[in-house]
Amino acid sequence: MPKASPFHERTQPLCTSYRWKTWAGYHAVASYDICHEREYNACRQGAGLIDVSPLYKYDIQGPDAAAFLSRVTVRDIRKLKVGRVVYLCWTDDRGKIMDDGTCMRLGETHYRLTAAEPSFHWLCHHAFGFEVQVIDRGHDLAALALQGPTSRDVLRQVCDADVDQLKFFGLQQAAFNGFSGHISRTGYTGDLGYEIWVDKASALVLWDELMGAGAPFNIQPAGLDALDVCRIEAGFVMAGVDYVGAHEALVESQKSSPFELGLGWTVKLEDRPPCVGHRALAAEREQGSLWALVGLEIDWNETEALYGEYGLPPSLSGNAWRSPLPVYGHGKVQVGRASSGVWSPILKKNLALATIEANYARPGTTLEIEMTVEWSRRTVAVQVVHLPFFDPPRKKALVEEREKEPAPALADDIFSTP
């Protein structure tokens, strides 16, 4: 039976739709209302508050913590500064991705790794020979994602952290009303946003403080349905949806490498000790990948015309979809699959994330995607486009930079000089 998260006493009465999902063994709200529209709009126009406590959270501590994390992930964590966070992934010996997440450096020898899938046994297996402790913090840490253009305004009201100067992928310790925690400028919506990490004993007080302070800033509790729309707009992959972890794949063809998932920029192989999968990753980078993750924009005119053939108006779900659809090249030859997609309310476009053969991945390439209307399988045109679909300047900018061009995806000062 699913467990209650540390915030369940607050989320359960607000979930008037009674729509729940199971996430990592926890009850998680799918949408508080029957429709997630208000929650999505909060994340894009106000502030959405999302319970992300079910994330797997591992504290890595000890003199060899940085060396150990550099061994098991594709990043050289030895270069990560205290007070910074980095997005990364980890692979098996053949360079196939097992999971992705974030790593934050809380102190000189103290790191925290977040994951979508359970990784404790795998981490402990590789810890042999390192002076390091791997501690599962999943049950005693509560976490909230506060996401949206007014999220910074809300945080100013409830803690002493200098959120105005907290950089993208930065981390600060913060004092709240009678308790402390950490704030990271991270999230899964592709917008301005923060994640707040506290002991579970302080969870309900934190929720009440944020909801109270956020009322003037249009705060709303948001569920996983709204988050799913946001993460597709942001071009973020999801484990178990857009890729199958190497430890869960039944056949080799289900596995993917970081390069095939658009995560090649996280792979750092030079001037460092070898990591798990190092040799395979180096070989693939040199030879090139067979597959590539791309964004697709589904042609609206063709969609409308297809439905018109059956005397119907276009009918698209407001929810994100996760059932893979074939993608075809010229001559109706299948060249890949779209793994998830959604109608974007803010962009007014029908979007999909797809894994396709690399020689079709150039932006501007026209392909076709399967679309079923009245039980008839047909196709409509799609165009390959750059990811992310949605990338507002406010996501990375400091307060005084709000109107400037966005900063690089990951600032140079995340890492110190080797």
Side-chain angles (χ1 to χ4, degrees):
M1 181 177 178
K3 301 183 289 290
S5 91
F7 299 101
H8 190 75
E9 287 185 39
R10 297 294 184 267
T11 60
Q12 189 274 330
L14 296 173
C15 185
T16 57
S17 69
Y18 297 98
R19 295 188 60 248
W20 297 82
K21 293 181 179 180
T22 300
W23 176 14
Y26 286 85
H27 290 294
V29 177
S31 96
Y32 287 87
D33 298 332
I34 294 175
C35 174
H36 62 269
E37 182 176 326
R38 179 172 64 170
E39 300 157 44
Y40 165 82
N41 285 331
C43 292
R44 289 292 183 242
Q45 301 179 40
L49 189 61
I50 308 164
D51 181 3
V52 295
S53 300
L55 280 170
Y56 292 93
K57 303 171 284 287
Y58 304 108
D59 276 12
I60 316 296
Q61 297 177 261
D64 293 340
F68 166 69
L69 286 166
S70 299
R71 169 64 179 164
V72 296
T73 75
V74 299
R75 288 279 196 180
D76 187 354
I77 300 300
R78 301 173 306 164
K79 300 177 182 178
L80 187 66
K81 293 180 179 180
V82 174
R84 300 297 293 172
V85 188
V86 67
Y87 175 70
L88 41 61
C89 59
W90 45 101
T91 70
D92 65 6
D93 289 331
R94 297 185 176 183
K96 301 301 182 181
I97 191 167
M98 298 184 65
D99 202 354
D100 64 306
T102 61
C103 180
M104 56 188 74
R105 188 172 183 182
L106 303 173
E108 287 299 322
T109 60
H110 186 185
Y111 298 79
R112 180 168 297 152
L113 187 71
T114 67
E117 302 291 340
S119 299
F120 183 74
H121 175 76
W122 187 82
L123 290 169
C124 290
H125 172 75
H126 287 282
F128 181 78
F130 290 95
E131 192 174 347
V132 68
Q133 280 186 304
V134 181
I135 306 167
D136 188 347
R137 299 296 307 277
H139 300 297
D140 53 66
L141 272 181
L144 288 174
L146 180 64
Q147 304 285 300
T150 65
S151 57
R152 182 188 282 119
D153 301 303
V154 176
L155 273 182
R156 287 195 194 104
Q157 317 302 312
V158 300
C159 70
D160 67 348
D162 186 4
V163 292
D164 286 355
Q165 297 303 312
L166 183 59
K167 294 181 179 180
F168 188 52
F169 272 70
L171 174 74
Q172 282 190 19
Q173 189 164 12
F176 295 87
N177 184 16
F179 61 96
S180 62
H182 287 90
I183 296 172
S184 58
R185 190 169 168 182
T186 51
Y188 201 44
T189 65
D191 212 316
L192 173 64
Y194 304 85
E195 291 175 314
I196 308 161
W197 315 82
V198 299
D199 289 335
K200 68 177 182 180
S202 305
L204 299 183
V205 179
L206 174 63
W207 179 279
D208 293 341
E209 291 280 327
L210 289 169
M211 290 297 291
F217 302 103
N218 300 314
I219 195 171
Q220 297 289 335
L224 299 185
D225 286 356
L227 182 61
D228 215 7
V229 177
C230 290
R231 69 97 186 168
I232 293 173
E233 291 177 336
F236 293 152
V237 294
M238 177 177 283
V241 177
D242 301 298
Y243 72 90
V244 179
H247 58 301
E248 295 185 343
L250 300 177
V251 293
E252 197 67 23
S253 60
Q254 293 179 344
K255 301 177 182 179
S256 305
S257 74
F259 300 105
E260 293 171 333
L261 291 174
L263 302 181
W265 59 272
T266 69
V267 179
K268 307 299 180 184
L269 302 177
E270 294 78 20
D271 302 320
R272 56 164 296 177
C275 63
V276 177
H278 195 111
R279 183 175 298 177
L281 291 167
E284 182 176 350
R285 188 171 64 178
E286 182 177 346
Q287 297 166 9
S289 303
L290 298 177
W291 300 93
L293 182 93
V294 299
L296 300 179
E297 287 185 4
I298 303 173
D299 190 282
W300 180 253
N301 290 332
E302 287 201 14
T303 301
E304 196 170 39
L306 176 57
Y307 275 85
E309 291 181 25
Y310 296 87
L312 296 171
S315 177
L316 301 179
S317 172
N319 287 346
W321 51 264
R322 299 181 176 184
S323 300
L325 295 174
V327 176
Y328 301 97
H330 302 298
K332 294 293 193 291
V333 176
Q334 186 173 351
V335 298
R337 71 189 186 281
S339 50
S340 58
V342 74
W343 170 260
S344 168
I346 198 167
L347 300 176
K348 302 297 186 289
K349 293 178 179 179
N350 198 10
L351 309 174
L353 297 176
T355 298
I356 62 175
E357 293 177 18
N359 54 325
Y360 290 93
R362 184 185 299 275
T365 302
T366 299
L367 302 170
E368 295 183 7
I369 192 171
E370 184 176 285
M371 184 173 290
T372 300
V373 181
E374 287 297 284
W375 309 284
S376 179
R377 291 183 176 181
R378 304 283 296 277
T379 62
V380 297
V382 296
Q383 186 175 63
V384 176
V385 298
H386 286 287
L387 290 173
F389 301 109
F390 180 71
D391 189 24
R394 62 179 178 248
K395 177 175 73 174
K396 306 181 185 79
L398 297 176
V399 171
E400 65 271 18
E401 298 172 337
R402 283 179 177 175
E403 304 304 321
K404 294 182 180 180
E405 291 294 319
L410 288 175
D412 291 339
D413 67 349
I414 287 178
F415 294 105
S416 58
T417 304

